[in-house]
Amino acid sequence: MTDTTPAVILASSSRYRRELLTRLQLDFTCQSPAIDETAEPGEPPLQLVQRLALGKARAVAEQCRQASLVIGSDQVATLGDTVLGKPGDASRASYQLQQMRGRRIEFLTGLCLFNTARHSQQVEVVPFSVKFRNYTDAEIERYVAAEKPFDSAGSFHSEALGVSLVESMSGSDPTALIGLPLIKLCEMLRQEGIALP
């Protein structure tokens, strides 16, 4: 990194997002944003993930002392009009997975790249759709015990054992499903002058 190259900061404590960003072979640091992630009354899921991705990036950007590109991201899973957040524990994870059985779930991933030098941002939402198969309660129990998906929207880890619960998937960027849409992020970074590859 030269003096004119901005620092790249991932505004997240998520190991999944950190592992994804490592694929781009950029030097980056991670900083956990301290923001309230509660949805506002009547807030649509798409608006929620946009607001939270931008909020995370801005919260970290405000603490930067040098020119930086700050990446914020947030994800929700939606079942019709119901938002499926992070379950937090085994019983909630099992309940979510029972509701998702045989249904199509839309995962919405908000992405923001905030440039502290120009105080400008790029914000996008990348959707990804998953059709879950009609799995059994015993399969749910085994999956939850093995995977412990308590920190993922909809109790679903597509990059691991969760793929065994799936009938089909559709979307433009499979990394969006894991929580950081790399195709869109690469486009944003190139617009900021970052050479990729």
Side-chain angles (χ1 to χ4, degrees):
M1 186 168 71
T2 67
D3 291 340
T4 58
T5 304
V8 176
I9 304 171
L10 177 62
S12 178
S13 58
S14 164
R15 66 183 172 97
Y16 310 109
R17 291 189 177 111
R18 185 173 62 247
E19 288 167 6
L20 282 170
L21 188 53
T22 301
R23 293 186 191 181
L24 301 186
Q25 299 182 18
L26 296 170
D27 289 330
F28 70 94
T29 58
C30 296
Q31 190 172 333
S32 184
I35 68 164
D36 181 359
E37 297 187 33
T38 307
E40 295 174 353
E43 186 175 29
L46 188 139
Q47 188 176 321
L48 171 65
V49 295
Q50 281 180 320
R51 179 176 62 81
L52 292 180
L54 176 57
K56 289 175 180 181
R58 277 188 173 163
V60 169
E62 287 172 2
Q63 301 170 39
C64 292
R65 300 187 186 281
Q66 68 181 98
S68 301
L69 297 173
V70 184
I71 302 162
S73 189
D74 193 77
Q75 183 182 72
V76 296
T78 60
L79 173 57
D81 294 330
T82 304
V83 172
L84 304 172
K86 298 172 184 175
D89 61 38
S91 64
R92 287 191 196 120
S94 295
Y95 177 75
Q96 282 187 344
L97 291 162
Q98 287 167 1
Q99 303 306 303
M100 293 158 60
R101 179 171 29 212
R103 310 272 303 270
R104 183 170 296 282
I105 307 299
E106 189 84 7
F107 289 82
L108 299 173
T109 305
L111 176 66
C112 175
L113 185 63
F114 192 95
N115 183 325
T116 63
R118 294 203 303 259
H119 204 72
S120 62
Q121 70 260 346
Q122 300 176 59
V123 184
E124 295 283 346
V125 175
V126 180
F128 204 91
S129 180
V130 178
K131 174 70 163 54
F132 287 87
R133 63 183 181 80
N134 197 20
Y135 41 73
T136 66
D137 285 347
E139 287 174 310
I140 291 174
E141 188 176 330
R142 289 195 303 270
Y143 168 73
V144 169
E147 195 70 14
K148 298 179 176 48
F150 312 140
D151 60 350
S152 293
S155 308
F156 179 56
H157 287 166
S158 65
E159 68 279 16
L161 192 57
V163 74
S164 68
L165 305 176
V166 172
E167 182 176 305
S168 64
M169 297 183 182
S170 60
S172 62
D173 185 351
T175 60
L177 192 53
I178 305 172
L180 188 65
L182 292 183
I183 294 173
K184 182 57 68 176
L185 178 58
C186 286
E187 179 184 318
M188 291 177 170
L189 288 166
R190 283 192 293 268
Q191 288 183 33
E192 296 293 348
I194 303 298
L196 290 168

